[in-house]
């Protein structure tokens, strides 16, 4: 194994909401760049499909795509999922990509609920992403490196 491959084996990224759309594109870019990518979504089946697509598109080691099925809006589930990621990465996360709320979901919520409910949904999703950042950022600080990318899509 070359020294470059040895270094690559130690690069870890987390991508939230990575089963489709821009989250999937971010996961693909990181995976093709040699990162081990922890892909997150609420739906395990969607994550499994995303992993197969990523592997087929690049042919890299499928083991470098790690499923992280948990709902970031459920703080308890998020804590458990993040703990597993931290353990698997030995506490070294180089990149965190947060992918904001599914706007289509929010639009449906807004159409069917009053504005207070819509504000609650937005606030909940925002707090959830902040919680993930607050959990991962100290690890990056401990390693004197890391990047956090916040994405919001429609």
């Amino acid at each position: 194994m070359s020294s470059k491959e040895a270094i690559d084996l130690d690069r870890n990224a987390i991508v939230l909401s990575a089963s489709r759309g821009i989250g999937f594109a971010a996961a693909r870019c990181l995976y093709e760049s040699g990162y081990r990518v922890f892909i997150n979504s609420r739906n395990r089946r969607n994550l499994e499909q995303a992993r197969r697509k990523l592997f087929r598109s690049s042919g890299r080691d499928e083991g470098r795509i790690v499923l992280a099925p948990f709902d970031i809006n459920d703080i308890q589930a998020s804590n458990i999922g993040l703990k597993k990621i931290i353990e698997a990465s030995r506490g070294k996360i180089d990149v965190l990509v947060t992918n904001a709320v599914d706007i289509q979901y929010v639009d449906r919520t807004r159409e069917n609920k009053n504005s207070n409910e819509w504000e609650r949904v937005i606030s909940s999703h925002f707090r959830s992403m902040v919680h993930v950042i607050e959990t991962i950022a100290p690890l990056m600080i401990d390693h004197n490196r890391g990047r956090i990318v916040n994405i919001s899509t429609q």
Side-chain angles (χ1 to χ4, degrees):
M1 177 182 303
S2 75
S3 61
K4 181 177 182 340
E5 289 171 329
I7 292 168
D8 285 351
L9 288 175
D10 201 30
R11 295 192 307 171
N12 297 291
I14 301 170
V15 181
L16 302 179
S17 300
S19 63
R20 58 188 172 88
I22 199 161
F24 177 82
R28 182 177 57 218
C29 181
L30 290 161
Y31 174 64
E32 290 175 353
S33 295
Y35 285 82
R36 176 170 48 169
V37 183
F38 295 86
I39 57 174
N40 164 264
S41 175
R42 291 178 293 223
N43 187 304
R44 183 177 192 84
R45 183 176 300 150
N46 291 348
L47 284 176
E48 289 167 351
Q49 291 172 350
R51 177 173 48 193
R52 283 192 296 275
K53 282 186 202 175
L54 288 168
F55 178 67
R56 281 192 306 252
S57 72
S58 75
R60 285 186 169 272
D61 178 7
E62 191 173 7
R64 298 179 62 73
I65 307 165
V66 182
L67 304 185
F70 59 88
D71 182 352
I72 69 164
N73 296 309
D74 177 340
I75 297 300
Q76 183 176 7
S78 184
N79 285 336
I80 292 167
L82 290 170
K83 182 179 179 189
K84 289 178 182 179
I85 291 171
I86 291 166
E87 289 172 357
S89 67
R90 298 177 315 282
K92 185 177 177 294
I93 302 297
D94 300 285
V95 177
L96 169 63
V97 178
T98 67
N99 191 4
V101 60
D102 178 350
I103 298 301
Q104 292 174 344
Y105 170 77
V106 172
D107 286 345
R108 285 191 306 273
T109 303
R110 190 172 194 177
E111 290 170 5
N112 297 322
K113 310 269 181 177
N114 65 38
S115 66
N116 290 338
E117 180 67 9
W118 186 81
E119 291 295 331
R120 186 196 63 74
V121 169
I122 293 294
S123 177
S124 170
H125 284 281
F126 176 76
R127 280 194 310 271
S128 299
M129 288 195 326
V130 169
H131 174 73
V132 173
I133 292 168
E134 289 175 335
T135 302
I136 299 303
L139 302 173
M140 294 175 166
I141 292 167
D142 288 347
H143 287 97
N144 293 317
R145 70 176 294 146
R147 301 287 184 264
I148 299 173
V149 180
N150 296 300
I151 301 170
S152 178
T153 60
Q154 183 169 2

